[in-house]
Amino acid sequence: MNPILQSTLSRKNLMALTGLFLCFFLVIHLLGNMQLLLPEDKAVVSFNNYSTLLSGNIFIKIVSYVLYFSLIAHAVDALFITLRNRKSVVKYAYDDRKKASKWYSRNMGILGTILLVFLVIHFKDFWYSYKFGSIPYDTNGNKDLYQIVVNAFHTGWYVVFYILSLLALGYHLLHGFKSAARSLGLYHPRYAAYVQKFGIVYSYAITIGFIIIPLYIYLKQFIQ
């Protein structure tokens, strides 16, 4: 096999594997964040206990390192493959693909860039603040990440930015899930329709689930 082609296929496989791991992580992350929708007295205790567990458990720390690697590898591989495709693609082939594909499939680079900017801000505002910032403690002696999140989601422009980023995530997932299945050879004609339907349901569930949280917290301050 051509070394360049083999290199591209290896990168696509790595991007698919890291992408699927990130899909799994999004489910766990969403389930944890859903605690923010509990009544405030319960949400403070539950969410802060959850945050403390994540920061102190050795197994979770190992998973975190896998997460960091997956994010970096996924972004680097995506950039590498995009640049290589732009150099090698023939114009008429691109035009044919453009007519047959969805707009979000043709603009994964733009969606990925939006997500990268979002992740940098997201990590800075929450992960970095929790790890290295001066955060007050709740009545149980845990760092009060709940209040940090609530304060962030009480700001209108931040909520709008958050929602727009999540919409970009949703479109990214719509293409990425099917693409990952194909790269790993899981997109057999017999099961293609089921894989596609599952990918659509998953993408909508993750996107809507994450959007509900900042909207709920933002609107809640006006009805209390």
Side-chain angles (χ1 to χ4, degrees):
M1 181 181 291
N2 186 297
I4 295 178
L5 178 59
Q6 187 174 15
S7 174
T8 300
L9 290 175
S10 297
R11 288 184 176 276
K12 283 187 175 182
N13 287 337
L14 179 59
M15 189 163 66
L17 288 171
T18 55
L20 290 177
F21 173 79
L22 293 173
C23 285
F24 170 75
F25 171 79
L26 284 173
V27 174
I28 304 302
H29 192 45
L30 176 59
L31 292 175
N33 285 1
M34 292 296 283
Q35 296 172 93
L36 293 166
L37 302 179
L38 295 171
E40 185 171 357
D41 57 337
K42 294 181 179 179
V44 172
V45 175
S46 181
F47 187 72
N48 287 341
N49 285 341
Y50 164 72
S51 302
T52 301
L53 174 64
L54 292 183
S55 64
N57 188 291
I58 185 62
F59 174 75
I60 299 299
K61 286 185 177 181
I62 294 173
V63 173
S64 297
Y65 293 134
V66 177
L67 171 64
Y68 305 147
F69 167 79
S70 296
L71 286 170
I72 295 171
H74 195 77
V76 171
D77 278 353
L79 177 62
F80 183 90
I81 292 171
T82 299
L83 293 176
R84 173 162 287 178
N85 287 344
R86 285 185 177 180
K87 290 181 180 180
S88 62
V89 73
V90 181
K91 186 178 184 302
Y92 68 81
Y94 174 78
D95 290 339
D96 289 341
R97 187 183 67 178
K98 187 173 181 180
K99 293 176 183 178
S101 61
K102 301 288 186 179
W103 71 267
Y104 52 81
S105 297
R106 301 191 305 270
N107 293 284
M108 288 291 281
I110 296 175
L111 295 173
T113 301
I114 294 173
L115 290 176
L116 183 60
V117 173
F118 167 74
L119 283 172
V120 170
I121 296 175
H122 186 70
F123 269 82
K124 179 261 180 186
D125 289 345
F126 302 121
W127 179 85
Y128 184 85
S129 294
Y130 186 86
K131 291 288 187 180
F132 306 106
S134 179
I135 294 183
Y137 289 81
D138 63 16
T139 56
N140 293 321
N142 296 319
K143 287 186 176 182
D144 198 356
L145 184 61
Y146 172 84
Q147 197 57 51
I148 300 297
V149 174
V150 168
N151 289 342
F153 289 153
H154 277 180
T155 306
W157 70 264
Y158 192 89
V159 172
V160 171
F161 166 72
Y162 202 89
I163 291 174
L164 290 176
S165 299
L166 289 171
L167 290 175
L169 171 64
Y171 284 117
H172 193 81
L173 291 173
L174 278 174
H175 171 81
F177 191 90
K178 182 170 67 174
S179 179
R182 281 178 172 169
S183 296
L184 297 175
L186 304 176
Y187 207 69
H188 190 278
R190 182 181 299 178
Y191 312 112
Y194 297 104
V195 172
Q196 185 168 358
K197 287 179 182 178
F198 180 83
I200 292 173
V201 171
Y202 170 84
S203 302
Y204 275 88
I206 289 293
T207 305
I208 294 172
F210 275 113
I211 286 177
I212 287 174
I213 296 170
L215 268 181
Y216 171 80
I217 293 174
Y218 179 74
L219 296 176
K220 185 181 176 182
Q221 66 181 316
F222 299 109
I223 58 177
Q224 287 181 330

